[in-house]
Every structure is written in structure tokens, then in C-alpha cells.
Amino acid sequence: MSEVSIGVRTSLNVRPRSDVYGRERSALNPTVFILKKCSMLRRRGGLLMALAMAACFAMQISVAEPSSQSSSASNAASDDLVLPMPKSASMAFRPIMVPGPSFWGGEERIVQLGDPDGGMFEGLQRVQISGSFPGAGGEDWVYYLAKYEVTKGQYVSLMGLETLIEESANPQDRELATLTGDRLQAALSEPVSGLGWPAVDAFIHAYNQWLFDPKHADRLSALPQIDGVPGYLRLPTEVEWEFAARGGATALRAGTFGDPLPVSAATLNNYAWHRDNAKAKVRPVGLREPNTLGLHDMHGNVQEFASQRFLPEIWQGKPGGLVARGGSVITSAKELRSSTRSEVGIYRWNDDRKQMEEQKSLTTGMRLAIGSDVIVTPDYWETLKTSYDAYKSSIRSNTPVGLTLEHPVAQGASAVGLAHAGIDELMGKNQELTSELSRIKNYIEQAELKMDQAQQEGARSLAQDALRNATNAAGFLFSATQLEARSVELGEMINEIGNQFQGQLKLVKDKAMEKRQHAAEQVDAYAKRVAELGEYGNTYVDRALEDLSKRDLAERERMALVLVVTHVSRYRVTRRLSTEEWRNDFDERFGTVSQ
């Protein structure tokens, strides 16, 4: 079912446990008299009714927004970052920690997104997550993501009810001015949805401008800073959104980051509103449990705009409409994944009217992030420039983009292929130049052949080197295992006979440790060669591995080749340099191999 085509009728009779901003609801008794008068005025009709409804709605909004905090005592966390909004409203944000102390980061920031069992737009991809602000103590970086989806109440507090009614495609929003008490509270607690892209952008811009007002310096001081420069509100990137949805650094440490969902299927209803439990009705924010990072409704309720255009893959492909993440109340539980992505058009073709119209999705909302520019000051530019060379020679060279773009043979082959196509096009348009262009084309074909040979040789050489490293690692592991077995025997002899073997025991243990260190070095070199080999085209990789399999290999070499084939195949799918995992494979396979 399309996320952009269905009209969702929201339920206004849900009694939220907290108000639109997650705050404990205050008693309405002081305003009961005023609300009753408003109700009487509505019944009198005409201009008086219109004026009364506007005035009474303003009063009800103030009732629905008790002052100060953005979350209730039961939901507030000590590390929430709370930004003010007009009419005593506020918006709470959660810090999302990104591992690594430097701007460029290290291998710990390279994460795998997507899902092998997901749809065609959820392919596995290796990307690098980054923070926007240095973390406390300088050990990590951080970006901020709103604790809840932006609510109707928050939108109205900044833009006004008239703007919401004008911009929203949700017919329920036209009824807000007629609601009172619990029904108003529930309606304002729902995530704002049904807005076109210009209205979303206008809201974010208006909020930033309100915070930046020089007459109210206290608002600006609430924002995090980098190099003395405050951040600003924006939508999260897809990478930021999915990193947080999967549980961030906490999930990386726990080994659960790659799971389709951060919770089990049995407990999903406790964390998400989806088609099976919400019955296509958008619900007030915060009624479900937060994820491990303290974020509510990351999966389901309304899907959430990310900041970039929709691409078939997160970082490549044809740019389309807007991208939304997380699924919604019309997404089934089986289809709900951290990798779920949808395209929401900015415009759409109305076939009945034969015209393009602005696209608005009733199941798409937003969750804000706090970020910053890359180059915040001229001095900061110099700081980045100084650290870039180290990053380029170490971390970047181990990422798929670094391996691919900096591979000279791959670059040359790509350029030659483009030139070949260009010559064919010129020959078709300039018949009089056919002879000369044919000669140039012949040169290009010769270069193309040499490039092909170079890629074959490059893949073959890397495969041989990887096998050599693997075999060496296997030999060192065997020696270490034998020495460790000998140290156990010596230990038993010392217990039975005495300490005369103590010196020999120390020597054997040192040798075993040395062998394991050599094995680790070989596996590290092996992993890099596997990654480089995996970036070649499938034809070159398969041919290189097939050539190795036809050789007269020793038993240990043949066993090592099985690991080479396995790890290259795994890398071509995941694009992940899994050195630690591969080291465990070596330990398991070669720890007890006899010579």
C-alpha cells in the first residue's frame, strides 16, 4: 500500500498519558468557565461564532501547553536537550553518540545499513556515520535527534492554526478549533502530517529564525555549539536516521546493530504503531516505549522525512522525490524494518485534471535534528585541512568509495569506456570523419584491451597475495597452538616434579605469543587484500579465484583458499571489512590443523 495515497482518519478520543510535549497534564478547572462560555458563543453562529472560535482556540492552546518543561517527570532524561518554542512550548532532543574522537573519525564509524531481506531499495551498503558536535570529554562526537515526532501542537505554537489548516491535507485539522479538553489535547498530541515540502521547510526555517532572534539571546544559548558557533535545526540525513533507529553506538557494542529491528517481533507492539495494531489511525506521540537511545516512535506511527532526495540506494542512483523513513500506521508489522524507505513526491500528476499538483502524504511527518556546518569558521577549515591527509591515507583508503575511486586501473577502465562510447556517438553524427575517428577508436580499443589485461592481472595478484597471507596465518596459528599445548604439559610437569622447567615454560609461552602476533599481522594484511580484490568486477574476481583452485596446492593452502573464497564473497555482498570476524574464522579452522 502506498504511503502517499491513503487518507488516514485520526482518532481524537485517545487519552494520552502526557500532553503534546510529553508533559504531565495540569488540571483544567481554572478555565472551565471560559471554555463553557466559548461553547455557548459557538452556538450563536455568524461572525460572532468565527471570532469566538478563534479566541477560544487560543485560550485552549494555552491550556494545552502548561509552562516550562518538554517532558514529564516520568519521561524526562537528565541528558535531554530542551529547546524553547513560542507560547511556553518546547521540543526535547536526544544526544546520539558517534564513536571516535576526531572530525574524520576511524573505522569504528563505518557501519552497514540496509537489509538483505528487504526490498530493492534497501540493499546493504557501507557508509560512515558522523557527528555534528564534539562530545563531552572529547572522546566521541554527537548529533541531536528530536525525542518525538513534531506534533500538531508544536506546529501551531509556531505557525498558527490558520497556517496548519491552510497547509495540511488532513481534514481532521479543520476540526481543531471546535475541540475542547481531552479531545483537543489528544489531537494536538498527534504528529503533524499531510504537509507539502514547502510547508515543512517553512516550519523549520521559522523555528530557526525564532531561536536566532537577537532580542532573545537566551534562546540561542540553548543550542549546542562547535568552535563557538551555534548549531541549527534541520531534518536528519538518512544515515543519521537509520543509525539512531538501529540503536546507534549502543547497538554496535552489543552486536545487534545489523538486526532488522532493534526489538523482537514479540515485543514490537510495545514500541511501534503499525497497521496490525493501529488500524491505520495515527496516534499521539510517545504512547509507545522509546528505543535504547530514548527516541519514541522511530518505527511506525508516521514515516518521517529525511533531508535528501530519494535515491534507489542511499548514496547512488537517480534522484527522485523526497525520502521518508520508518514506516507508518499503514505499514504491516512484517514490513517494518530499520531499513524501510519510501519515496514521497513533491509533485504528482493528476490524471483526471491533466495537471501537476503538490503532493501531500497523510502518513508522513517529521522529526527534527540539530546539526552544524562543516566549515564553521576560517580557523576550523585549517584544522580540517591539517587532519585530512592522515584520514585519506588510512581510514578513507579502507572504505569502498576510497578503494573504488582511488584504484588507478578501475579509473582508467572507466575513462576508456566513456571515450569509446563518445567516439561511437561522434561517428554517427559526423560521417565525413569516419576514417579518422575509426583510427582513434582502434587506439581506444587497444587501450581497453590493455586495461582489461591489467585488471585481470591485478585481481590475480591480489588473490595470490591473499592466499599467501592466509596460508602464513594458518601456519603461525598451528605453531602457536602446538606451543600452547606444550606449555600445558610443562605446567603439569612443574606441578608434579618442581620448578626446574619454569624457564622453559616461559620461553614456550613467549614463543606462542609471538606466533599469534605474527598470525594477527598476516590476517590484517589478508583482510586488506580481500577488500581490494572485492572491489574488482565479478568476472575478474571469479577468474582469479578459479585459477587458484586449479593449482596443485598443499592441504593447508587449499583449506586457506576456502576461507579466501568465503570472505571475498561475503565482502562483495556486505562491503564490510570484517577483520575480527575473519580472524575468528582462522582460529576455528586452523587452531588444531596438523602439519
Side-chain angles (χ1 to χ4, degrees):
M1 186 178 294
S2 171
E3 291 281 1
V4 300
S5 62
I6 186 169
V8 179
R9 183 172 181 82
T10 58
S11 171
L12 301 184
N13 293 317
V14 179
R15 184 180 181 90
R17 65 186 176 190
S18 56
D19 77 359
V20 57
Y21 308 105
R23 302 177 299 217
E24 293 293 349
R25 295 165 52 213
S26 61
L28 299 182
N29 291 338
T31 63
V32 169
F33 175 77
I34 296 176
L35 293 180
K36 286 183 177 180
K37 290 296 183 183
C38 288
S39 179
M40 291 171 58
L41 288 172
R42 285 192 187 102
R43 293 195 293 268
R44 296 185 181 181
L47 178 61
L48 182 60
M49 184 190 76
L51 293 173
M53 287 178 66
C56 290
F57 186 80
M59 171 58 69
Q60 293 169 55
I61 287 292
S62 67
V63 171
E65 296 171 356
S67 60
S68 82
Q69 300 182 15
S70 68
S71 59
S72 68
S74 60
N75 291 337
S78 60
D79 56 346
D80 280 354
L81 185 151
V82 181
L83 296 183
M85 296 187 78
K87 300 184 176 69
S88 300
S90 57
M91 188 176 292
F93 290 81
R94 296 290 301 149
I96 311 300
M97 302 305 298
V98 175
S102 71
F103 173 89
W104 299 105
E107 290 189 23
E108 67 274 10
R109 289 190 187 171
I110 299 174
V111 297
Q112 179 175 295
L113 305 183
D115 192 319
D117 298 321
M120 64 178 175
F121 298 135
E122 300 173 38
L124 292 173
Q125 298 167 73
R126 290 183 72 217
V127 298
Q128 188 177 41
I129 180 67
S130 297
S132 293
F133 308 93
E139 296 183 359
D140 298 295
W141 277 61
V142 65
Y143 64 95
Y144 292 88
L145 200 57
K147 192 170 184 175
Y148 307 100
E149 295 159 333
V150 175
T151 66
K152 295 177 182 180
Q154 288 170 317
Y155 183 91
V156 168
S157 76
L158 188 71
M159 308 299 287
L161 175 63
E162 296 81 3
T163 302
L164 177 61
I165 293 174
E166 179 181 352
E167 296 290 350
S168 174
N170 190 343
Q172 296 291 332
D173 292 342
R174 300 184 185 93
E175 301 176 7
L176 283 173
T178 69
L179 303 179
T180 61
D182 286 350
R183 296 189 67 207
L184 174 63
Q185 187 66 250
L188 293 176
S189 298
E190 292 175 3
V192 65
S193 63
L195 300 178
W197 172 245
V200 170
D201 192 48
F203 170 78
I204 298 172
H205 177 67
Y207 195 2
N208 276 315
Q209 291 298 101
W210 187 85
L211 290 169
F212 299 159
D213 187 343
K215 298 178 182 178
H216 299 276
D218 57 312
R219 300 174 186 171
L220 196 65
S221 65
L223 287 163
Q225 297 186 357
I226 176 171
D227 211 31
V229 179
Y232 53 84
L233 298 167
R234 58 172 172 79
L235 292 173
T237 67
E238 282 203 78
V239 175
E240 288 173 336
W241 190 96
E242 189 167 333
F243 181 78
R246 291 181 175 275
T250 302
L252 287 174
R253 290 190 294 268
T256 59
F257 189 85
D259 293 349
L261 283 169
V263 298
S264 67
T267 61
L268 180 60
N269 284 350
N270 297 334
Y271 295 88
W273 291 111
H274 47 80
R275 188 174 68 197
D276 305 327
N277 66 357
K279 308 305 179 186
K281 294 181 179 180
V282 175
R283 305 305 175 105
V285 302
L287 296 184
R288 287 302 191 238
E289 296 298 321
N291 69 4
T292 55
L293 300 182
L295 301 168
H296 292 261
D297 302 311
M298 286 294 284
H299 297 85
N301 211 21
V302 293
Q303 59 179 3
E304 301 166 11
F305 281 122
S307 62
Q308 60 261 59
R309 294 281 183 160
F310 181 88
L311 303 176
E313 297 190 278
I314 287 177
W315 60 281
Q316 66 181 12
K318 173 190 173 182
L322 304 171
V323 62
R325 302 300 305 263
S328 72
V329 292
I330 61 171
T331 306
S332 70
K334 291 182 178 180
E335 296 171 333
L336 210 57
R337 295 177 293 275
S338 296
S339 59
T340 300
R341 309 171 66 232
S342 296
E343 181 180 24
V344 180
I346 300 177
Y347 305 99
R348 67 175 175 184
W349 176 250
N350 187 319
D351 197 48
D352 294 332
R353 298 181 181 180
K354 304 300 180 186
Q355 64 183 31
M356 291 291 286
E357 297 177 343
E358 185 179 13
Q359 174 82 342
K360 298 181 179 181
S361 166
L362 300 187
T363 54
T364 305
M366 58 178 150
R367 181 189 302 266
L368 300 190
I370 306 176
S372 65
D373 285 347
V374 173
I375 303 171
V376 290
T377 64
D379 289 343
Y380 198 73
W381 185 89
E382 290 294 339
T383 301
L384 298 185
K385 183 180 178 182
T386 301
S387 61
Y388 178 70
D389 288 340
Y391 161 75
K392 184 178 180 181
S393 63
S394 56
I395 304 306
R396 190 177 191 277
S397 62
N398 288 331
T399 64
V401 65
L403 289 167
T404 301
L405 296 181
E406 295 185 3
H407 195 294
V409 177
Q411 282 184 324
S414 176
V416 168
L418 291 173
H420 200 301
I423 291 293
D424 288 340
E425 184 178 354
L426 286 173
M427 290 176 66
K429 295 179 179 179
N430 302 274
Q431 297 296 325
E432 70 279 7
L433 299 177
T434 299
S435 177
E436 293 190 14
L437 289 173
S438 294
R439 187 170 68 255
I440 296 173
K441 182 178 180 180
N442 183 53
Y443 294 147
I444 291 175
E445 287 174 346
Q446 292 179 32
E448 207 168 20
L449 178 61
K450 291 181 180 180
M451 287 290 183
D452 180 71
Q453 292 172 345
Q455 291 196 80
Q456 288 186 46
E457 183 55 38
R460 187 180 296 114
S461 176
L462 284 169
Q464 291 172 351
D465 289 345
L467 179 58
R468 186 180 303 111
N469 291 137
T471 305
N472 289 342
F476 285 127
L477 283 172
F478 169 77
S479 297
T481 303
Q482 295 297 98
L483 288 167
E484 287 162 356
R486 176 59 179 160
S487 70
V488 172
E489 294 176 359
L490 288 171
E492 293 175 351
M493 293 173 64
I494 290 172
N495 290 335
E496 294 177 3
I497 302 174
N499 292 331
Q500 59 263 46
F501 296 104
Q502 195 69 46
Q504 186 177 354
L505 175 61
K506 183 180 183 306
L507 180 64
V508 170
K509 285 185 175 181
D510 289 345
K511 280 288 185 183
M513 187 179 300
E514 180 183 337
K515 296 293 184 183
R516 286 209 170 268
Q517 180 61 36
H518 289 330
E521 292 170 356
Q522 290 294 318
V523 173
D524 287 342
Y526 162 84
K528 291 182 179 180
R529 288 179 168 84
V530 166
E532 290 182 58
L533 179 59
E535 294 301 326
Y536 277 80
N538 292 347
T539 301
Y540 301 112
V541 175
D542 293 342
R543 188 179 301 168
L545 295 176
E546 184 180 357
D547 288 347
L548 284 179
S549 69
K550 292 178 180 178
R551 293 186 179 182
D552 184 19
L553 301 174
E555 179 185 359
R556 185 175 294 159
E557 287 180 307
R558 193 159 295 282
M559 294 181 70
L561 181 58
V562 172
L563 281 186
V564 175
V565 173
T566 299
H567 293 159
V568 170
S569 299
R570 197 177 300 167
Y571 178 85
R572 286 157 72 183
V573 172
T574 65
R575 289 298 193 267
R576 185 179 183 87
L577 195 66
S578 306
T579 306
E580 192 62 37
E581 178 184 330
W582 297 349
R583 186 176 288 117
N584 292 336
D585 290 343
F586 274 92
D587 286 336
E588 182 179 338
R589 181 170 289 271
F590 296 109
T592 57
V593 174
S594 61
Q595 297 193 58

